[in-house]
Amino acid sequence: QVQLVESGGGSVQAGKSLRLSCAASGYTVGSACMGWFRQAPGKEREAVAAMDRDGGRTVYADSVKDRFIISRDINTNSLYLQMNNLKPEDTGIYYCAADHQYWCGGGWYNERRYDFWGQGTQVTVSS
């Protein structure tokens, strides 16, 4: 049984940083495309970042490019999202997602392609 467990969320002021973690069990990090999504209050869930199975290609939403970094650690079987220079509009629940396809490709932002999801971790950024 696949489980993805996010952690690292919290409440911070604008300009600060947070690092989210996604610990996987029953699924091998690095075996396929994995990504981060978020859902702000009253809005639909949106893609934030994704990484191909070999870690060679990473993609980001325009709104977080140059501020967020997706990474992984095969030894701990975890996916990470380093979030720098946080803004109030980054507030939301952040979800880790895992696919069975090797490459994220052009449809990486489509949540329907991901097979497994974590329960989410709350990030609140105040101005």
Side-chain angles (χ1 to χ4, degrees):
Q1 182 180 359
V2 175
Q3 279 194 315
L4 303 175
V5 180
E6 301 95 336
S7 61
S11 296
V12 296
Q13 290 188 321
K16 299 297 185 181
S17 300
L18 281 174
R19 188 190 193 211
L20 304 183
S21 300
C22 172
S25 60
Y27 180 91
T28 301
V29 172
S31 64
C33 172
M34 293 188 74
W36 287 95
F37 286 72
R38 68 185 181 189
Q39 186 167 22
K43 294 188 177 181
E44 293 186 352
R45 189 156 57 185
E46 63 175 0
V48 175
M51 171 181 281
D52 282 339
R53 67 176 297 226
D54 62 358
R57 176 175 177 257
T58 56
V59 287
Y60 298 90
D62 288 343
S63 59
V64 306
K65 203 171 293 183
D66 299 326
R67 297 189 298 122
F68 290 12
I69 301 172
I70 186 172
S71 64
R72 65 177 188 179
D73 187 334
I74 294 176
N75 292 326
T76 60
N77 207 39
S78 298
L79 185 73
Y80 300 98
L81 185 68
Q82 177 67 42
M83 305 187 296
N84 301 319
N85 190 21
L86 283 160
K87 303 177 180 181
E89 50 263 43
D90 294 319
T91 293
I93 301 174
Y94 282 70
Y95 300 91
C96 171
D99 193 3
H100 67 278
Q101 300 181 63
Y102 288 174
W103 314 115
C104 298
W108 70 275
Y109 53 85
N110 185 355
E111 64 175 278
R112 287 177 290 182
R113 64 169 288 167
Y114 293 87
D115 303 301
F116 309 106
W117 292 83
Q119 83 291 345
T121 185
Q122 176 71 45
V123 172
T124 303
V125 184
S126 58
S127 58

